[in-house]
Amino acid sequence: MNILLETVIVDEKIMNTDLSPHLHTQDCNQLIDELKKCHEENKFAKFIGACNGFNSSVAKCLKQEHKARSAANRAKARKRKANQTS
């Protein structure tokens, strides 16, 4: 199985994000598909910024997913901690 890793810039940090569909929301998967399509259609132009708009959209979507996951994990941890101290 070949997993595509895309370099995504989030908050000025470069990170490689796994773009497997089961890891993301339907909205982000649609943006990821558009980015992949742009890369396929613009084999060389992608290197001079032809797909930058799609890449920015994907990065923003992935950042929102990350924030949502982090908030859910913090809430879960608070609940677990409250149950332990009771």
Side-chain angles (χ1 to χ4, degrees):
M1 184 168 138
N2 190 9
I3 297 176
L4 172 68
L5 291 178
E6 180 72 27
T7 301
V8 179
I9 299 174
V10 178
D11 290 335
E12 300 177 344
K13 297 176 186 174
I14 297 177
M15 45 194 290
N16 289 323
T17 304
D18 186 353
L19 299 180
S20 297
H22 69 280
L23 298 175
H24 303 289
T25 62
Q26 186 175 355
D27 293 336
C28 285
N29 281 329
Q30 183 178 358
L31 292 171
I32 291 167
D33 290 341
E34 290 173 8
L35 176 63
K36 288 178 184 179
K37 183 179 177 183
C38 182
H39 282 180
E40 288 173 9
E41 293 174 355
N42 300 289
K43 297 279 186 200
F44 298 104
K46 67 181 179 186
F47 296 112
I48 57 171
C51 301
N52 283 357
F54 293 113
N55 198 32
S56 295
S57 297
V58 169
K60 287 177 187 176
C61 190
L62 295 178
K63 184 176 180 178
Q64 291 301 318
E65 282 185 344
H66 177 73
K67 285 182 179 181
R69 271 194 319 274
S70 294
N73 286 339
R74 276 192 300 278
K76 193 174 171 182
R78 283 188 201 111
K79 184 177 179 181
R80 190 172 45 244
K81 186 175 180 180
N83 288 339
Q84 288 176 352
T85 58
S86 297

